[in-house]
Amino acid sequence: MAATHARALVSDLDFRPAEPAADMALLDRLALLALRRWSPIAAVTPSDGIWIDLTGCAHLHGGEEIFCRRLLAFCRRAGFTARVAVADTAGAAHALARFGRDPLSRAEPGATANAIAPLPIVSLRLAPGAISACRRFGLETVADLLPVARGPLARRLGLPAITRLDQALGAIAEPITPREDDEVPRVERRLLEPIGTAEAIEQVMSDLLRDLANLLRERGVGARSLRLTGLRVDGINQIIGIGTARPTRDVPHLLRLLKLRIERIDPGLGVEQFWLAAPHTEPLDAVDLGAVLAGDALMRDPARLVDVIAGRIGPRAVFRARPLESHVPERAVTRSDPMVLPGRWPAWTRPVRLFARPEPLNRVIALMPDQPPRRFEWRGRVHRIVAGDGPERVHGEWWRRDAEMWAVRDYYRVEDEEGGRYWVFRRGDGFAEDTGDLSWWLHGVFA
């Protein structure tokens, strides 16, 4: 309504000039914050809102509902009134956030049509002419549009209105152009003709890496992760990523890692545009190679080997064993970063292969209370012991649970007739019943 009409209705109405440019700048800063903290894809909507793509990252924030509640709390602390909606499509989320009943709306997967059915026609982001036509024909909600055939509906409302409806229902893709972080090193290649062969893609990777290496060198940083995005002619993005154990700008090494991912790129009818970004970078100073060039030292960097192995079998499969402060053997070691040197290991001997869980031994013959076993059966085979050493007594950690208050293990190193060396233990000290049931277990195998 006109400002004079509004002031006549509310005499103390607060009027302030609109600043669309400042509003868009604020939304852009919020989208950049979402990009850095919550999701790799965030964009400003055509109206007063932000799209955040939670695909593949919702579990990092405790699930969709928990993330939305945290997002509402963040907006309240920042002084904003916000409404959040989660749906399978961007159009449905846009409609629910602005016309839903609750500040937090969530459409179940596959139930988008039922979620937006009671919403008004204007929630579909239709043109003013299409909204007026809907009113003339008595169409008030989205549910009124769903049973109508697309042909007659397109003649009355126009084809753009049908496109908006199909986008909200998921029948037509609605790609989101994400907000790009200017601080992230990023290079681009636009091709004259689409490419689809592995050799051509490899050449583009090499060109992009050289450009990115120059950019990283200017900033004095090295890449810890790279993300390559290829835009196909049908508008679908193909994304692959790699990570490194240490920051690097070595083009041949990074190209070797990217080549391991080429088979994951589906070129379709061809890829016409590529982007290469380094989302995670770390400072990388000059390396002193004086001793290496003089021949006094040999340059050995295990980071390259770690990167190649992790690229083939996964980063979680490459780790280094690190000691922990614990007397119980299965708790005295953990996995750590393969590039981080472990602390000092205990002085006592431990087997090369330590089982995650001790395995029971059957038909054990041993002289109580302190002698190693002379015979035992393990995995269906009988082992006759010719030499043994021990015991090494390990007490339970009483501060963890009451069951370990008096628990005792007596460990022995034994060798059988065939030369196999094993690490076995007996539960209990052989005197008090509270210390253990005197059962025998095998906990590890020596080399």
Side-chain angles (χ1 to χ4, degrees):
M1 62 181 65
T4 54
H5 187 190
R7 192 180 293 275
L9 297 176
V10 182
S11 59
D12 58 346
L13 188 63
D14 185 11
F15 277 90
R16 301 189 183 185
E19 299 180 3
D23 294 340
M24 289 301 298
L26 176 61
L27 288 175
D28 185 71
R29 294 209 312 270
L30 290 176
L32 184 59
L33 175 66
L35 181 68
R36 293 176 177 176
R37 296 183 57 181
W38 300 320
S39 172
I41 299 179
V44 178
T45 64
S47 54
D48 55 346
I50 297 175
W51 271 317
I52 300 177
D53 190 350
L54 293 178
T55 304
C57 60
H59 66 284
L60 302 176
H61 308 288
E64 294 177 351
E65 185 173 356
I66 294 179
F67 170 74
C68 293
R69 296 189 184 278
R70 291 178 178 175
L71 189 58
L72 288 174
F74 166 80
C75 293
R76 284 195 298 267
R77 292 195 303 268
F80 300 115
T81 300
R83 296 172 60 88
V84 181
V86 180
D88 290 342
T89 63
H94 185 281
L96 289 171
R98 287 158 179 78
F99 299 92
R101 295 181 179 180
D102 303 321
L104 174 56
S105 303
R106 182 176 179 272
E108 295 294 333
T112 304
N114 296 332
I116 67 174
L119 302 182
I121 294 293
V122 68
S123 65
L124 295 178
R125 298 170 292 165
L126 303 183
I131 296 176
S132 300
C134 289
R135 292 172 179 171
R136 289 197 306 269
F137 293 112
L139 303 174
E140 298 181 355
T141 64
V142 178
D144 298 333
L145 299 178
L146 296 179
V148 182
R150 290 294 190 268
L153 195 61
R155 288 194 297 270
R156 289 169 174 79
L157 305 182
L159 188 59
I162 305 302
T163 302
R164 285 299 190 189
L165 177 61
D166 290 338
Q167 287 177 345
L169 297 176
I172 297 179
E174 184 179 3
I176 298 176
T177 302
R179 168 68 163 84
E180 295 292 343
D181 190 353
D182 296 335
E183 296 184 3
V184 174
R186 180 173 176 270
V187 292
E188 180 182 354
R189 274 287 191 277
R190 296 176 182 268
L191 308 179
L192 296 177
E193 295 182 357
I195 61 175
T197 63
E199 293 76 9
I201 296 176
E202 179 183 343
Q203 181 61 44
V204 174
M205 288 179 176
S206 178
D207 297 339
L208 289 172
L209 284 173
R210 283 196 294 268
D211 296 343
L212 184 63
N214 294 332
L215 184 59
L216 295 176
R217 189 176 297 105
E218 294 175 358
R219 301 188 181 186
V221 297
R224 285 295 306 274
S225 65
L226 295 180
R227 184 174 68 245
L228 178 68
T229 304
L231 177 62
R232 299 193 322 195
V233 294
D234 56 0
I236 298 178
N237 288 333
Q238 297 292 309
I239 303 176
I240 59 174
I242 61 171
T244 60
R246 291 179 180 174
T248 180
R249 296 190 294 261
D250 189 357
V251 174
H253 177 57
L254 295 174
L255 179 60
R256 182 181 181 184
L257 298 180
L258 282 176
K259 287 168 60 177
L260 298 176
R261 297 287 194 273
I262 288 184
E263 60 183 13
R264 302 185 182 183
I265 299 178
D266 181 11
L269 299 177
V271 185
E272 59 183 357
Q273 191 173 357
F274 286 90
W275 298 273
L276 182 62
H280 183 191
T281 59
E282 293 181 1
L284 180 61
D285 297 330
V287 180
D288 185 10
L289 298 178
V292 178
L293 296 177
D296 299 334
L298 182 61
M299 189 67 174
R300 293 179 178 177
D301 187 7
R304 297 189 178 186
L305 177 61
V306 171
D307 294 341
V308 174
I309 297 177
R312 293 182 179 274
I313 62 178
R316 295 186 178 182
V318 184
F319 59 89
R320 186 193 293 267
R322 178 172 61 87
L324 292 179
E325 294 184 359
S326 177
H327 296 291
V328 181
E330 58 265 30
R331 300 175 186 158
V333 63
T334 186
R335 297 184 178 186
S336 65
D337 191 315
M339 301 309 301
V340 177
L341 295 179
R344 297 185 61 181
W345 289 93
W348 49 78
T349 305
R350 290 291 182 262
V352 175
R353 181 185 178 190
L354 186 69
F355 298 157
R357 294 181 178 179
E359 299 186 8
L361 300 179
N362 301 318
R363 301 178 181 178
V364 181
I365 297 178
L367 183 63
M368 297 291 288
D370 296 330
Q371 295 300 316
R374 306 301 299 176
R375 175 191 181 279
F376 62 81
E377 183 177 331
W378 176 54
R379 294 184 179 179
R381 292 186 56 188
V382 176
H383 297 264
R384 291 178 172 82
I385 305 303
V386 297
D389 185 19
E392 174 191 339
R393 180 157 294 179
V394 175
H395 290 268
E397 297 176 342
W398 53 267
W399 58 89
R400 288 181 175 267
R401 55 178 182 170
D402 295 339
E404 298 187 29
M405 178 68 71
W406 306 106
V408 171
R409 294 180 184 177
D410 283 345
Y411 279 89
Y412 298 87
R413 287 180 291 166
V414 297
E415 181 177 348
D416 63 6
E417 296 175 332
E418 299 178 359
R421 301 176 62 201
Y422 307 97
W423 203 41
V424 301
F425 70 88
R426 183 191 64 229
R427 286 180 174 174
D429 58 5
F431 295 98
E433 296 181 356
D434 296 339
T435 59
D437 57 2
L438 303 183
S439 60
W440 287 87
W441 301 75
L442 192 146
H443 205 166
V445 179
F446 292 91

